[in-house]
Amino acid sequence: METQKNKKRYFKYIAIVLAALCVVSAVLCVLNVWENGQGIFSNTDDDAFEEEIVYNGEKYILKDNVDTFLVLGLDKFENTESGSYNNDKQADFLMLFVIDNKNSACTAIHINRDTMAEINVLGVAGNKVSTTEKQIALAHTYGNGKEVSCRNTAKAVSKLLLDVKIDHYMSVTMEAVPKFNDLVGGVTLEVLEDFSGIDDTLVKGKNVTLMGEHALNYVRTRYGLEDPTNNTRMMRQRQYLKALYNKTRECISEDDKFISKASLNMKDHIVSDCSANKLETLFAKVQKCELKGIYDIKGETVKGEKFMEFYPDTDSITDIVIEAFYDEKD
């Protein structure tokens, strides 16, 4: 029988394993020590998600006992609260975890930050005053730059995914990437694109060990590259996260104090509605979960008046939502 100390250590390990599959470096180590979250996020559109649906002639029923967790990577380096009803922090990285407790399975939905979506425009008090169609990354710019902005982004993601329920959220600022990258001793991978003139250490086709700002350049840069769309950047992000996941596991196995050390370095870069106890409970549920896959929504990227715009395919969204949230009805 495990001791209480060993159980806590195991839960921390599970937190690292889950987060490393979905978000930039800082998320990997702070999930189970974040103590500053207040309250529980509630999606006001819960009732809009259908219990039973018919699609392509097949009947599906909503899975029970499912938890969802949205992770956001912000494009700014400071994690300060805005005193206004808007801010300049966009969500460059969005991934939704869907944890199927009944079947001990987990899926992740990687959302293109350029996705054109319906987002809420917030007033001074943080209340909804209207809606607009913009890149989904901009949903975070409405609100105080912290909890209110995270909730607004979660609602936009929910609306995009046919009003799925989103239970919890976490945002991470950009400082976290080079910090955690260097804590694990760097990440080695094959460079997928030519970064000439942007970061000459990143040569296409070469194996490199990313350190410091080079790691951030690799997962963040898109303008100035041969393909400036977010699609190829998402490929690099997934490649990086898989390599980071493996390196993190090595660090945990070699140093049982690694999580504590990393947590102290990362905690100032996180906003979440979850306390440490809540996250420990969440990760205890998924300690035996199998990662079923990371899904990307298909669609078309076009050049808008000013920026790139991604128009999602409605059938692709439905397919992914059914795969993650529904079972075929007998």
Side-chain angles (χ1 to χ4, degrees), residues 72-173:
L72 310 174
L74 305 184
D75 69 342
K76 295 295 179 180
F77 290 86
E78 71 280 359
N79 201 359
T80 56
E81 182 171 359
S82 169
S84 179
Y85 59 91
N86 54 30
N87 66 91
D88 63 351
K89 298 176 187 173
Q90 300 181 24
D92 261 8
F93 179 93
L94 304 96
M95 185 168 281
L96 179 67
F97 282 122
V98 183
I99 303 164
D100 181 355
N101 297 292
K102 181 179 179 180
N103 296 307
S104 297
C106 176
T107 57
I109 303 173
H110 195 182
I111 299 168
N112 191 325
R113 58 94 62 214
D114 293 335
T115 300
M116 298 302 289
E118 181 181 318
I119 63 178
N120 291 341
V121 176
L122 305 182
V124 177
N127 57 304
K128 174 183 173 182
V129 295
S130 65
T131 62
T132 184
E133 185 183 38
K134 291 184 177 181
Q135 295 171 319
I136 200 166
L138 298 176
H140 192 275
T141 64
Y142 294 95
N144 62 354
K146 300 189 79 175
E147 291 84 358
V148 176
S149 296
C150 288
R151 290 196 294 268
N152 199 48
T153 306
K155 291 180 185 298
V157 171
S158 172
K159 187 69 175 179
L160 174 71
L161 300 178
L162 310 182
D163 295 312
V164 300
K165 179 183 177 183
I166 297 179
D167 298 309
H168 299 289
Y169 62 79
M170 176 186 297
S171 70
V172 187
T173 54

Side-chain angles (χ1 to χ4, degrees), residues 249-267:
R249 292 189 64 178
E250 292 177 9
C251 292
I252 294 171
S253 63
E254 294 171 359
D255 182 2
D256 59 4
K257 295 182 179 179
F258 175 79
I259 295 173
S260 297
K261 295 174 183 176
S263 299
L264 291 175
N265 281 272
M266 298 297 110
K267 66 179 182 179

Side-chain angles (χ1 to χ4, degrees), residues 20 240-253:
Y240 176 80
L241 290 169
K242 289 177 182 178
L244 181 63
Y245 165 73
N246 292 328
K247 196 63 181 290
T248 303
R249 292 189 64 178
E250 292 177 9
C251 292
I252 294 171
S253 63

Side-chain angles (χ1 to χ4, degrees), residues 31-315:
L31 290 177
N32 33 278
V33 295
W34 180 248
E35 296 284 7
N36 297 324
Q38 298 295 325
I40 299 298
F41 169 60
S42 177
N43 184 346
T44 57
D45 295 326
D46 287 350
D47 294 337
F49 200 35
E50 297 181 62
E51 294 285 337
E52 295 187 18
I53 62 174
V54 178
Y55 183 61
N56 288 338
E58 300 291 339
K59 294 182 179 180
Y60 298 89
I61 187 168
L62 188 66
K63 295 176 181 178
D64 56 9
N65 198 13
V66 170
D67 293 305
T68 53
F69 192 90
L70 179 66
V71 181
L72 310 174
L74 305 184
D75 69 342
K76 295 295 179 180
F77 290 86
E78 71 280 359
N79 201 359
T80 56
E81 182 171 359
S82 169
S84 179
Y85 59 91
N86 54 30
N87 66 91
D88 63 351
K89 298 176 187 173
Q90 300 181 24
D92 261 8
F93 179 93
L94 304 96
M95 185 168 281
L96 179 67
F97 282 122
V98 183
I99 303 164
D100 181 355
N101 297 292
K102 181 179 179 180
N103 296 307
S104 297
C106 176
T107 57
I109 303 173
H110 195 182
I111 299 168
N112 191 325
R113 58 94 62 214
D114 293 335
T115 300
M116 298 302 289
E118 181 181 318
I119 63 178
N120 291 341
V121 176
L122 305 182
V124 177
N127 57 304
K128 174 183 173 182
V129 295
S130 65
T131 62
T132 184
E133 185 183 38
K134 291 184 177 181
Q135 295 171 319
I136 200 166
L138 298 176
H140 192 275
T141 64
Y142 294 95
N144 62 354
K146 300 189 79 175
E147 291 84 358
V148 176
S149 296
C150 288
R151 290 196 294 268
N152 199 48
T153 306
K155 291 180 185 298
V157 171
S158 172
K159 187 69 175 179
L160 174 71
L161 300 178
L162 310 182
D163 295 312
V164 300
K165 179 183 177 183
I166 297 179
D167 298 309
H168 299 289
Y169 62 79
M170 176 186 297
S171 70
V172 187
T173 54
M174 284 296 175
E175 302 102 323
V177 178
K179 281 191 176 183
F180 190 76
N181 182 89
D182 290 2
L183 282 174
V184 301
V187 171
T188 301
L189 46 71
E190 181 182 335
V191 179
L192 298 180
E193 295 183 80
D194 182 8
F195 284 75
S196 298
I198 300 171
D199 188 335
D200 292 334
T201 68
L202 303 176
V203 179
K204 184 176 180 179
K206 298 292 185 180
N207 288 325
V208 300
T209 298
L210 299 174
M211 296 297 297
E213 295 301 315
H214 301 297
L216 181 56
N217 290 340
Y218 192 72
V219 298
R220 188 186 189 198
T221 302
R222 62 169 171 160
Y223 294 116
L225 299 180
E226 182 178 358
D227 183 355
T229 69
N230 196 45
N231 299 324
T232 54
R233 180 169 65 174
M234 290 170 69
M235 291 177 59
R236 281 184 274 118
Q237 289 172 344
R238 290 194 297 273
Q239 177 203 27
Y240 176 80
L241 290 169
K242 289 177 182 178
L244 181 63
Y245 165 73
N246 292 328
K247 196 63 181 290
T248 303
R249 292 189 64 178
E250 292 177 9
C251 292
I252 294 171
S253 63
E254 294 171 359
D255 182 2
D256 59 4
K257 295 182 179 179
F258 175 79
I259 295 173
S260 297
K261 295 174 183 176
S263 299
L264 291 175
N265 281 272
M266 298 297 110
K267 66 179 182 179
D268 292 335
H269 309 304
I270 301 296
V271 172
S272 177
D273 66 312
C274 292
S275 67
N277 290 337
K278 179 63 181 179
L279 286 165
E280 183 171 296
T281 300
L282 178 65
F283 295 128
K285 292 181 180 180
V286 299
Q287 57 184 304
K288 295 182 180 180
C289 278
E290 175 188 1
L291 182 69
K292 305 296 289 186
I294 300 177
Y295 298 106
D296 287 324
I297 299 171
K298 295 181 175 62
E300 181 183 10
T301 298
V302 301
K303 180 69 169 65
E305 291 184 8
K306 293 184 178 179
F307 306 106
M308 303 304 296
E309 299 175 353
F310 177 79
Y311 289 88
D313 181 79
T314 55
D315 287 338

